[in-house]
Amino acid sequence: PAEILIMRALCLAAMFCLGMLCQSGAAADDSLRETLDALTPQIETLAASSRPADWALLRSCLYYALAGQYLLAGEGIATRLESGAVMYNPSSALRHGIDPHVWLESRTHFIDGATLPRWGVVTLVPRSLVAEHPADVIPGVTRVLVVARYRDRQQREFLDAHRARFADALRRLGLPAY
């Protein structure tokens, strides 16, 4: 009797806490989505004006990521630039791999600005739906598989050179450095 009441109270408290966590996570998704949607025209413009003129649009993921990182930082949203290979929808017939690729990661999300020229939207995937290893892919749930992360010296030098080029573009455009 008393133990049952205590267990019920604990279960209700746990369900309430889980509900609050889910709501706050959804609110964070909505807030970041709204911010990215508002920044989309600026991301596109900054990526187009900073990438090398002879780069094919398909190779411009680096400049979409740099532009997104710069503009999100201006909104107080910290991100980390990552490079490597990814696969979208890894467990479905619609899987699509990109190698090499550059994207952003926040504490809570995988952010891919390279989808802007194709679909007009920055891809935003909660980290809970991103797998780091093929064995972690959950069929029908996992949206992105990070196949590899490139962290070798040559890749760091490549990224540093393009960060410097991006910073030069910011100066030419009269924008504050990041």
Side-chain angles (χ1 to χ4, degrees):
E3 291 173 353
I4 293 174
L5 289 176
I6 291 171
M7 285 300 241
R8 280 188 186 162
L10 287 174
C11 286
L12 286 173
M15 288 181 1
F16 175 77
C17 288
L18 284 173
M20 293 302 287
L21 283 173
C22 291
Q23 282 183 338
S24 64
D29 283 357
D30 290 346
S31 175
L32 185 52
R33 172 84 273 149
E34 289 171 8
T35 300
L36 285 168
D37 288 347
L39 292 175
T40 292
Q42 295 170 359
I43 293 171
E44 286 184 301
T45 300
L46 191 51
S49 61
S50 61
R51 74 175 177 256
D54 62 339
W55 272 32
L57 196 54
L58 291 176
R59 287 186 29 189
S60 298
C61 58
L62 173 55
Y63 283 86
Y64 280 98
L66 290 168
Q69 185 175 45
Y70 174 79
L71 293 166
L72 286 168
E75 298 292 320
I77 300 168
T79 59
R80 184 178 62 251
L81 189 81
E82 290 289 342
S83 66
V86 298
M87 182 175 294
Y88 279 91
N89 303 309
S91 64
S92 82
L94 299 175
R95 70 181 163 270
H96 174 71
I98 308 170
D99 182 13
H101 194 48
V102 178
W103 65 94
L104 298 174
E105 290 182 5
S106 73
R107 189 177 51 80
T108 58
H109 288 85
F110 171 95
I111 305 165
D112 189 353
T115 56
L116 269 173
R118 292 175 185 93
W119 300 298
V121 67
V122 173
T123 296
L124 180 65
V125 180
R127 300 271 307 217
S128 62
L129 302 180
V130 177
E132 295 285 333
H133 188 276
D136 298 332
V137 171
I138 301 169
V141 175
T142 303
R143 296 205 21 226
V144 177
L145 168 62
V146 177
V147 178
R149 291 182 188 270
Y150 301 150
R151 295 197 167 125
D152 58 90
R153 186 178 60 84
Q154 183 178 2
Q155 182 67 7
R156 280 194 313 273
E157 289 172 357
F158 175 81
L159 293 175
D160 288 346
H162 285 281
R163 279 189 186 105
R165 179 185 173 81
F166 183 77
D168 288 343
L170 292 175
R171 281 190 287 282
R172 280 194 318 273
L173 294 167
L175 297 171
Y178 63 110

